[in-house]
Amino acid sequence: MALVVKKFGGSSVATTEKIMNVAKRILNEKKPDDQVVVVVSAMGKTTDNLIKLAQGINKEPYQFTREMDMLLTTGEQVSISLLAMAFMTLGHPAVSMTGPMAGMKTDSAHTKGRILDITPERVHKELDAGKIVVVAGFQGKDDAGDYVTLGRGGSDTSAVALAGALHADSCEIYTDVDGVYTADPRIAKNARKMKEITYSEMLEMARLGAGVMQPRSVEMGQLLNIPIHVRSTFTTHTGTVIREDYTMKEEKDYVIRGVAHDDKVAKIAVLGIPNTPGIAHEIFSALAAAKIDVDMIVQSIRNIEKNVTDMVFTVSTGDLSEAKRVVDKVADKLGAVAVLVEEDVAKVSIVGAGMLGNPGTAARMFGALCKAGINIDIISTSEISISCLIKGAELEKAVNAIHDEFFND
Ligand code: ASP
Ligand code: MG
């Protein structure tokens, strides 16, 4: 007997027909004594549409975080009930549960909650009674009993966490792509599917913009040591397994594992501030107090005689207006010359633990960009990644140039 957790994303359950197909597939693959838990997202673009609905009331609905959670959790509630009905229509007992019914406890950080604990007794009880249990992803309940959502894409995290709490034998994430690719296949013509990738490398890919998995779900997999199989809803091909270490050989050893990109970044430059201790602290603590994540940071000497400097950094486009407000205030106080914002920028990154022992990896990346005639604005690195900020319009060319440089056979 195996206990399996399967997660289906929004595109996999976008219509009632697709929901019926998901139910049929699960029943076809299920061995008689398998216990199956299915975690689902909201149907298709439901979550986006609910956000638009809220914007009809207020342009910035995210200031009402508790109410946003109340609204957004309804999306998953629609898909769990329909999928449970689909199983029963096909003759298999099933029951749907909201996140809280499945024992999902979170902190109170509305719209970006974290799972604190899962007490899945009810799930076990229903599984033992022979039912397929369909659980709403993306949601849990805090101490006060309020719904809390886990951030966009949070159903991945629900599934992995639930697999951990249930001591599942496997955790499969079904989506509209058939695995993790060396670059976004919609952009890079020569992107190829990976058989495996480590948690750390996948986490870095996801953090740097690869949209396949919510970064937190990968963190959760690593923490609980749950191998995550990312695969397609629409084919039966083996996908990509995210795990601690490699177990299979790829056709060839490449220096990097993949190219990630992110076009949802914006650049803020605070120009002409005094080059004295405490200035960086002043700017970035104000941003931290507003809970704004800052990514690439560069401080440059602009005018040595006058002891004046520029501070340039990036934030995600979603945080831009709030970040600008915060920075304008600090800049005023510091007597900055100007605060400039550039939205038409994008970040392209290479990821791979292999670059640690391979000097020259950065030079190869910069060389590929240079050959493609692309200017680099900011560079940043981590132990297993190198990122360049470039013009947004050149992103596609950049991803292809870098990908072809490293995966060139
Ligand atoms: N429905 C939520 C979203 O669109 C959660 C998810 O799909 O994972 O972000
Ligand atoms: Mg997703």
Side-chain angles (χ1 to χ4, degrees):
M1 187 192 80
L3 197 166
V4 297
V5 173
K6 295 168 185 269
K7 181 254 168 179
F8 288 82
S11 52
S12 308
V13 294
T15 61
T16 48
E17 197 190 340
K18 285 185 171 161
I19 291 177
M20 280 310 280
N21 286 340
V22 164
K24 281 181 200 154
R25 175 178 185 159
I26 292 172
L27 292 180
N28 273 339
E29 291 176 356
K30 180 182 175 303
K31 299 194 187 69
D33 55 1
D34 276 353
Q35 296 197 324
V36 181
V37 176
V38 190
V39 175
V40 275
S41 295
M43 294 171 73
K45 298 249 168 285
T46 300
T47 308
D48 290 332
N49 293 336
L50 290 170
I51 294 170
K52 281 189 201 126
L53 201 59
Q55 284 165 338
I57 300 287
N58 188 302
K59 276 205 184 67
E60 292 187 25
Y62 273 98
Q63 60 187 298
F64 311 115
T65 54
R66 181 187 179 278
E67 304 311 322
M68 281 307 280
D69 279 350
M70 193 63 97
L71 177 68
L72 297 187
T73 46
T74 63
E76 271 68 15
Q77 223 159 301
V78 172
S79 45
I80 52 169
S81 53
L82 294 178
L83 183 57
M85 288 186 220
F87 283 122
M88 290 189 280
T89 302
L90 294 168
H92 197 291
V95 62
S96 65
M97 288 187 199
T98 61
M101 286 176 191
M104 219 33 106
K105 300 208 174 60
T106 65
D107 61 16
S108 298
H110 283 292
T111 74
K112 41 181 116 168
R114 278 181 182 267
I115 298 170
L116 296 180
D117 188 25
I118 304 179
T119 46
E121 279 72 41
R122 255 194 97 181
V123 178
H124 277 304
K125 219 171 96 202
E126 299 290 3
L127 288 172
D128 291 343
K131 292 181 193 163
I132 290 179
V133 180
V134 185
V135 179
F138 182 51
Q139 52 173 257
K141 195 170 80 173
D142 71 0
D143 267 348
D146 287 342
Y147 273 118
V148 175
T149 62
L150 307 177
R152 297 304 307 270
S155 298
D156 293 340
T157 305
S158 305
V160 176
L162 201 52
L166 293 166
H167 304 290
D169 297 288
S170 73
C171 178
E172 296 176 322
I173 305 287
Y174 288 83
T175 177
D176 51 4
V177 291
D178 61 355
V180 182
Y181 277 71
T182 49
D184 185 339
R186 287 167 302 187
I187 288 195
K189 333 182 260 305
N190 302 324
R192 58 192 79 182
K193 193 172 80 187
M194 307 174 194
K195 289 183 189 148
E196 293 176 299
I197 183 168
T198 63
Y199 295 119
S200 325
E201 287 169 321
M202 187 65 231
L203 191 57
E204 195 72 354
M205 289 281 286
R207 195 181 69 76
L208 293 169
V212 219
M213 295 283 293
Q214 196 199 34
R216 228 179 250 174
S217 68
V218 183
E219 245 168 19
M220 189 69 81
Q222 184 163 34
L223 187 75
L224 304 172
N225 200 15
I226 305 279
I228 305 167
H229 185 176
V230 182
R231 58 190 308 188
S232 166
T233 307
F234 310 111
T235 72
T236 52
H237 303 157
T238 309
T240 304
V241 180
I242 309 169
R243 54 160 54 108
E244 188 57 40
D245 230 328
Y246 293 100
T247 61
M248 293 179 264
K249 213 157 163 43
E250 302 276 345
E251 290 82 62
K252 199 179 148 197
D253 278 334
Y254 297 100
V255 179
I256 65 165
R257 295 294 304 173
V259 181
H261 72 270
D262 189 354
D263 58 2
K264 294 189 179 56
V265 286
K267 186 175 93 173
I268 299 183
V270 192
L271 304 182
I273 42 179
N275 190 15
T276 50
I279 296 296
H281 176 252
E282 188 103 23
I283 296 175
F284 295 109
S285 58
L287 288 162
K291 297 215 168 1
I292 294 168
D293 258 331
V294 172
D295 185 20
M296 305 168 119
I297 302 176
V298 179
Q299 181 186 318
S300 56
I301 302 284
R302 194 155 83 107
N303 188 325
I304 299 176
E305 289 93 64
K306 291 201 186 125
N307 209 20
V308 162
T309 185
D310 300 333
M311 192 73 80
V312 182
F313 55 91
T314 61
V315 296
S316 72
T317 43
D319 285 336
L320 180 61
S321 50
E322 177 66 8
K324 174 81 165 59
R325 256 200 301 277
V326 170
V327 172
D328 273 340
K329 236 188 263 164
V330 184
D332 242 9
K333 195 169 132 204
L334 299 176
V337 174
V339 178
L340 302 181
V341 167
E342 205 180 315
E343 279 189 79
D344 179 30
V345 291
K347 188 169 63 171
V348 58
S349 311
I350 56 173
V351 175
M355 69 176 72
L356 275 171
N358 277 291
T361 309
R364 270 178 82 183
M365 179 189 194
F366 305 151
L369 289 173
C370 161
K371 252 187 276 165
I374 295 166
N375 192 47
I376 304 170
D377 197 356
I378 304 180
I379 299 167
S380 69
T381 63
S382 83
E383 252 176 49
I384 60 166
S385 70
I386 303 168
S387 303
C388 296
L389 194 75
I390 57 169
K391 284 233 168 342
E394 294 182 324
L395 183 60
E396 192 166 332
K397 197 159 75 167
V399 170
N400 277 290
I402 296 168
H403 188 274
D404 291 347
E405 166 65 32
F406 287 97
F407 299 94
N408 57 355
D409 47 28

